[in-house]
Amino acid sequence: MTEIVAEISGNHGGSLYNALRLIRAAADIEADAVKFQCFDIYPLALRRAKNPEVLHLANGIPLVDLYSRTHTPKDWFPELIRQAEKCGLCWFSSVFDPLDVAFLEHFDCPRYKISAFEMLDWDIIKAVKETGKPIVLSVRPTSGMTILRATDYDCHVPSLGLSAHGPLLPPPHAPMVEYHLMLEDVKTPDSAFSLTPPQMRALIEQIRS
């Protein structure tokens, strides 16, 4: 069965109240899990400052400004986690620096997501690996690299999951699909590739039918 993850991202618009609303909305539409983003603004902007793909997607907005608008403060995490658990949702988080991993280990984060922009960042991968927790890794083809799917020993080719930016259905038998969930009355830089609760509910019904 495909695990359906509601990505909270920066769609809270800088409001803890809205972040808690998003978690409740994820539970109402029967997502399986919510995912948060854990980063500090300036280290992430510096880490990505020379990545042309990131700069292209930022569309001329300075990264510090963009990440200031999508930042989830670390002091929110205890309440976000409590809300997810109260709603019966699994939770995990994206991390963008080894210090993010160290912070989330205080809450026994059950698994860690590594963004496609950091998919080759060994410092982050190593920090997660040392926790012994599962890794959810987004990948994208880049210049000079070919991505292959490896079969297991009985030659079964496992399905890949999908990190969707928009109303895309995952491939059959995908282990996971992740959608950015937004509130209909809150507009953020992530709104362009996010789904409202009714839109995500419709996709969930299709996936589970």
Side-chain angles (χ1 to χ4, degrees):
M1 180 180 292
T2 300
E3 179 183 14
I4 299 168
V5 178
E7 162 69 84
I8 303 303
S9 67
N11 278 322
H12 47 67
S15 163
L16 174 58
Y17 173 69
N18 286 337
L20 299 177
R21 288 175 63 201
L22 282 163
I23 295 169
R24 287 193 295 269
D28 288 344
I29 62 176
E30 300 184 356
D32 298 303
V34 288
K35 183 174 74 67
F36 309 122
Q37 292 184 349
C38 182
F39 63 85
D40 288 315
I41 298 165
Y42 290 95
L44 181 59
L46 181 62
R47 186 179 284 272
R48 290 180 167 183
K50 295 183 180 180
N51 186 317
E53 189 170 7
V54 171
L55 297 176
H56 173 73
L57 291 173
N59 197 29
I61 301 173
L63 295 185
V64 168
D65 293 347
L66 179 61
Y67 297 149
S68 294
R69 295 173 63 190
T70 58
H71 178 237
T72 300
K74 287 183 174 176
D75 60 7
W76 291 7
F77 273 80
E79 194 159 352
L80 298 179
I81 293 165
R82 280 194 296 270
Q83 179 79 330
E85 292 174 346
K86 180 180 177 181
C87 290
L89 293 166
C90 299
W91 71 275
F92 62 107
S93 182
S94 294
V95 287
F96 302 86
D97 187 279
L99 292 176
D100 302 333
V101 180
F103 168 76
L104 288 169
E105 277 297 286
H106 291 295
F107 305 100
D108 194 24
C109 184
R111 51 186 165 164
Y112 291 95
K113 166 77 181 294
I114 297 177
S115 149
F117 295 126
E118 282 73 43
M119 67 181 187
L120 297 179
D121 191 316
W122 174 242
D123 289 341
I124 302 173
I125 295 170
K126 179 174 181 290
V128 175
K129 183 175 182 296
E130 288 176 348
T131 70
K133 306 288 181 59
I135 299 175
V136 178
L137 179 66
S138 283
V139 298
R140 58 162 51 90
T142 62
S143 177
M145 184 180 74
T146 301
I147 299 172
L148 302 177
R149 289 194 304 182
T151 61
D152 60 23
Y153 291 119
D154 65 3
C155 296
H156 170 71
V157 179
S159 296
L160 295 178
L162 175 66
S163 179
H165 288 70
L168 303 174
L169 287 170
H173 311 297
M176 176 186 290
V177 60
E178 175 186 279
Y179 294 111
H180 289 252
L181 182 64
M182 63 180 283
L183 298 167
E184 294 179 86
D185 59 341
V186 179
K187 300 303 180 186
T188 76
D190 292 348
S191 296
F193 51 81
S194 299
L195 304 177
T196 64
Q199 290 171 328
M200 187 168 170
R201 183 193 293 275
L203 287 170
I204 289 173
E205 290 174 353
Q206 290 184 68
I207 293 166
R208 292 181 176 158
S209 64

